[in-house]
Amino acid sequence: MNTTTRARTLLGGLILAAVTIGTWAAWLGWESGYATDPETGATSGPYAVWQVVGAVLTLAVVAAVAGWLLSPLLVAPVMTVAFTAAWAGRAAATDDSGLWAVGAVLVLVGTAVGTTLVSLGAHLTRRRRAG
């Protein structure tokens, strides 16, 4: 790996981590509470469905673009670690039950699978188009 490739990989990874953490902050980072339905008494939260869907769709676009430009071997771990760390940091700070750790594992696995599949698909599509 030459110096230019290393610099591109490092810069790409740093930008990717920042965009991934920004995605968490934009969609999920500002939510701070649970909602109780006054009629049923059911509690939901701390995120609304539309927030999670928005975060997942944004992460999918980021993974596709990053997979097109960078190696999926970089994209999947960087996005997985960045998003999981951002999510787990907030969850650990606001959860007294300790169940945040279970959620963190689920976020880790889901993010790893999703970013791997999307970035690999984009990468393979680019390679097929290049001939």
Side-chain angles (χ1 to χ4, degrees):
M1 185 182 291
N2 64 34
T3 305
T4 303
T5 304
R6 278 191 205 126
R8 181 174 182 252
T9 300
L10 178 60
L11 182 60
L14 290 172
I15 291 169
L16 183 58
V19 169
T20 302
I21 292 169
T23 298
W24 171 83
W27 288 104
L28 306 175
W30 51 271
E31 190 59 54
S32 62
Y34 289 83
T36 303
D37 185 324
E39 291 184 21
T40 64
T43 302
S44 64
Y47 310 114
V49 171
W50 63 268
Q51 287 176 284
V52 176
V53 169
V56 168
L57 291 176
T58 304
L59 289 172
V61 170
V62 171
V65 171
W68 188 270
L69 300 172
L70 302 166
S71 169
L73 296 174
L74 174 69
V75 174
V78 167
M79 288 186 72
T80 299
V81 170
F83 193 82
T84 303
W87 186 91
R90 170 63 70 84
T94 59
D95 178 29
D96 295 330
S97 71
L99 287 175
W100 69 268
V102 175
V105 170
L106 294 173
V107 169
L108 177 88
V109 170
T111 306
V113 169
T115 57
T116 298
L117 292 175
V118 172
S119 65
L120 185 59
H123 186 75
L124 292 174
T125 299
R126 180 179 181 207
R127 285 182 57 191
R128 270 191 230 118
R129 285 183 151 210

